[in-house]
Amino acid sequence: MGDKLLEKHQLYPTKRPAALFLTGDQIYADDVSEHLFPFIRKIAGTLMGYEEDLPAIDERITNYTNRKQISKYVCKFTSRKSSNHLFTLGEYSTMYLLSFGPVLWKDILPQLSNTSNNADIISFANSTFSTQRLLANIPTYMICDDHDITDDWNITKKWKENVENSPLGKHVLANALTAYFAFQGWGNDPSRFSSDFFLPLTEYVKNNPFNLHTYKSWINSIIGFGPWTYIAPTKPKVLCLDTRTSREWSYYKNQSNRWIPPSTSGPELVNEKGWTFATTKLLESGWRKKDPLVIVSPAPLYGMEVIESFLEKYISPLRNKGIPVTTSFDLEAWRMNGKGVYHFYEVLMKLDPSEITILSGDAHMASAIEVWTQFGKQEEIKLLQLTSSPLKNETFRGVSGLALKAAIVLYTIFQTEDWIVRVCDEKQNFHYDSIAETKAVTLAESIHYLYVNKKSITELSNNLGLVSFTTGQTYHQLLTALVTKKDEA
């Protein structure tokens, strides 16, 4: 749809889209088709000119017969679909080449049997001609999320420690980040990458089997690099947040039961150091107070209240009983950490933009949300969040998918108030409606869900968001294969 739109307006600069933002999960490193995986492994060796000696990294790999076991027990990953998890730099690079263009497909397609099992792969392969043409004709900016590396990447402090203490887990992370740099990160802000960054990276790629000194320099350099936050030089400026490598985890104690041990809340997706880096980069770019500001957050700042409140109220407390619900239910939304949301607004108030728009993905549903926020005694500000997702991966299927769809429909029908009021108290905990009156309020939000089609506040089918800005107006369209849906905010 993006390629068709660009072709339609190729001779009309004022109608032609000016930039493409891909907001995370550009590839799925952990959820790879069994029909495609053998080709990826073969191409990876040809592409790199060598096979990575993974047993030399961690000899425990030989104790297991498949990658799902290696992912779980050796790498310490928590992906639920890791039977064909990518491990090597060649495999990650091959996946990017298969996703972004047709060049590798010409040798694969003749070998794929024309069966129902391969129909989706063949359809996707044929679509990469349009993908390549679109990427070649529009400035494109990308930021990573978990599936670019592995599902649940840095979801908890314990996860991060477990993986980085695993030689193979750390090795795979470094390979994934190297591929991310080459295929996504480099072009976003080329001036950030000095010779000190390139030297260990290029030495590692060229020297295989690897030199131990070179290897350590590379792995520490690429994993220690960050944040990957950058400023896109568009008009208005776009602040693209890295919400994966700048995380911070805090502990809280359940006050209602002294026998429950301290537990982690959801992560603060951007810590103080990450915000300092982001605001410094923004001001260095020429952005000034009272300029409009667009922020890309891979995870939406505001999700579907009916889903997130259920997770927070009924699922999140199970962590205190030792049940691994954090990785099972991805309990890492912004609202799972009140401190993180508070700091988000604290930064916005200091920046003082004239307009604020947040662009997001990840949620596997499209939405448009308007928020009016009162922060302390400062003037009330308006924020607009536009989420366009999924681009290609629909997940609301099966029994759980039907339940979530039903919940959203019922919420739309029976929600009697147009606005949801949420407040943050002095301890940076969030409360709703009547509870708010008894708390010392430091932040108050009025949240309003806009309809993205005539029947619902969400769109669950594959879509690409088209956003245009004029003075005082933001237009948001959802481009889908069947119909174009338009909202005005």
Side-chain angles (χ1 to χ4, degrees):
M1 291 302 295
D3 177 59
K4 289 179 180 178
L5 186 69
L6 209 62
E7 181 181 35
K8 179 181 178 181
H9 297 304
Q10 59 180 304
L11 300 179
Y12 306 96
T14 58
K15 295 182 179 181
R16 176 185 174 127
L20 171 65
F21 289 90
L22 301 179
T23 62
D25 298 338
Q26 275 61 260
I27 65 168
Y28 274 66
D30 57 303
D31 186 4
V32 180
S33 165
E34 61 180 331
H35 303 282
L36 192 57
F37 187 59
F39 296 104
I40 292 176
R41 292 197 65 181
K42 182 179 179 180
I43 293 171
T46 304
L47 184 69
M48 300 302 296
Y50 54 76
E51 296 284 346
E52 283 188 27
D53 187 2
L54 296 179
I57 304 295
D58 195 328
E59 61 182 12
R60 291 178 299 165
I61 196 173
T62 58
N63 297 332
Y64 300 97
T65 57
N66 61 67
R67 289 205 173 187
K68 188 167 189 175
Q69 293 173 332
I70 295 169
S71 294
K72 182 176 181 179
Y73 298 113
V74 183
C75 296
K76 302 299 182 181
F77 294 158
T78 54
S79 172
R80 294 166 291 284
K81 297 181 179 180
S82 58
S83 297
N84 303 306
H85 201 300
L86 306 180
F87 283 168
T88 71
L89 179 58
E91 290 166 0
Y92 275 92
S93 299
T94 299
M95 181 60 83
Y96 277 110
L97 292 172
L98 291 172
S99 299
F100 289 169
V103 66
L104 296 181
W105 287 105
K106 65 181 184 296
D107 294 325
I108 296 176
L109 288 178
Q111 301 179 63
L112 287 174
S113 57
N114 193 13
T115 65
S116 58
N117 288 334
N118 291 328
D120 285 345
I121 297 176
I122 294 170
S123 175
F124 177 79
N126 291 330
S127 77
T128 57
F129 288 92
S130 294
T131 302
Q132 183 184 51
R133 189 168 73 154
L134 177 63
L135 295 179
N137 285 281
I138 188 169
T140 303
Y141 303 94
M142 312 185 201
I143 194 66
C144 52
D145 204 21
D146 57 343
H147 290 286
D148 301 275
I149 312 299
T150 184
D151 192 17
D152 300 330
W153 177 33
N154 289 348
I155 193 169
T156 65
K157 186 176 183 180
K158 187 66 175 176
W159 190 101
K160 179 180 171 67
E161 291 171 348
N162 284 344
V163 173
E164 293 189 4
N165 286 330
S166 159
L168 187 62
K170 190 174 183 180
H171 176 81
V172 175
L173 286 188
N175 275 335
L177 285 166
T178 299
Y180 167 72
F181 158 74
F183 291 92
Q184 299 193 52
W186 190 357
N188 294 328
D189 191 359
S191 63
R192 278 193 70 189
F193 304 102
S194 65
S195 58
D196 290 338
F197 176 88
F198 275 105
L199 184 59
L201 186 150
T202 53
E203 287 299 311
Y204 163 70
V205 173
K206 289 189 297 183
N207 294 309
N208 196 286
F210 52 82
N211 172 279
L212 186 59
H213 176 72
T214 299
Y215 178 78
K216 287 184 176 179
S217 296
W218 160 73
I219 203 168
N220 291 329
S221 172
I222 195 70
I223 288 182
F225 185 87
W228 294 89
T229 294
Y230 64 93
I231 311 299
T234 50
K235 186 178 181 180
K237 292 280 196 306
V238 179
L239 168 59
C240 297
L241 292 176
D242 169 9
T243 58
R244 284 287 165 182
T245 71
S246 297
R247 296 183 165 204
E248 190 165 301
W249 297 269
S250 54
Y251 290 86
Y252 71 92
K253 190 171 182 64
N254 192 312
Q255 300 300 319
S256 62
N257 192 333
R258 63 190 180 92
W259 301 110
I260 296 178
S263 172
T264 57
S265 63
E268 187 176 352
L269 297 187
V270 180
N271 59 21
E272 185 176 348
K273 181 180 178 182
W275 280 123
T276 300
F277 179 87
T279 54
T280 299
K281 293 288 288 185
L282 183 64
L283 295 174
E284 287 176 351
S285 74
W287 187 92
R288 294 292 179 265
K289 284 187 176 184
K290 299 303 181 183
D291 284 349
L293 177 62
V294 180
I295 299 173
V296 167
S297 172
L301 184 66
Y302 295 93
M304 284 295 107
E305 186 59 35
V306 65
I307 295 174
E308 291 191 348
S309 61
F310 174 82
L311 292 176
E312 185 176 46
K313 186 174 182 179
Y314 297 107
I315 302 299
S316 183
L318 296 178
R319 290 179 292 196
N320 295 325
K321 301 182 183 298
I323 301 174
V325 294
T326 298
T327 53
S328 298
F329 290 90
D330 293 343
L331 300 177
E332 53 181 338
W334 282 93
R335 67 163 284 164
M336 297 296 176
N337 189 302
K339 180 181 176 182
V341 178
Y342 185 88
H343 283 173
F344 189 103
Y345 274 105
E346 196 171 40
V347 170
L348 285 186
M349 293 300 169
K350 290 178 180 177
L351 291 173
D352 193 21
S354 59
E355 299 173 43
I356 304 163
T357 307
I358 297 178
L359 306 179
S360 290
D362 187 55
H364 297 274
M365 63 178 74
S367 63
I369 302 174
E370 183 181 76
V371 183
W372 285 91
T373 301
Q374 180 73 47
F375 189 87
K377 297 181 180 180
Q378 292 179 277
E379 186 177 342
E380 192 175 47
I381 62 168
K382 177 186 175 183
L383 178 150
L384 180 65
Q385 177 184 277
L386 304 173
T387 302
S388 301
S389 174
L391 192 66
K392 63 178 180 177
N393 189 20
E394 296 183 13
T395 57
F396 285 85
R397 297 173 180 173
V399 176
S400 60
L402 288 173
L404 287 172
K405 287 180 181 179
I408 293 170
V409 170
L410 291 172
Y411 178 87
T412 304
I413 294 173
F414 293 107
Q415 173 66 19
T416 56
E417 299 293 334
D418 286 339
W419 297 82
I420 296 173
V421 177
R422 185 174 77 163
V423 301
C424 182
D425 65 24
E426 58 208 354
K427 294 182 179 179
Q428 296 170 342
N429 297 316
F430 280 94
H431 310 276
Y432 293 86
D433 300 330
S434 59
I435 302 176
E437 299 174 4
T438 63
K439 302 291 180 180
V441 174
T442 58
L443 169 67
E445 304 164 311
S446 296
I447 306 167
H448 179 49
Y449 292 86
L450 306 174
Y451 280 80
V452 294
N453 57 48
K454 293 181 180 179
K455 298 180 180 179
S456 178
I457 57 174
T458 63
E459 175 61 55
L460 302 180
S461 61
N462 295 335
N463 60 85
L464 176 66
L466 174 63
V467 182
S468 57
F469 300 96
T470 60
T471 304
Q473 295 287 331
T474 300
Y475 297 90
H476 178 222
Q477 292 179 294
L478 294 180
L479 307 179
T480 70
L482 299 176
V483 66
T484 300
K485 299 163 184 176
K486 183 175 181 179
D487 289 304
E488 179 178 328

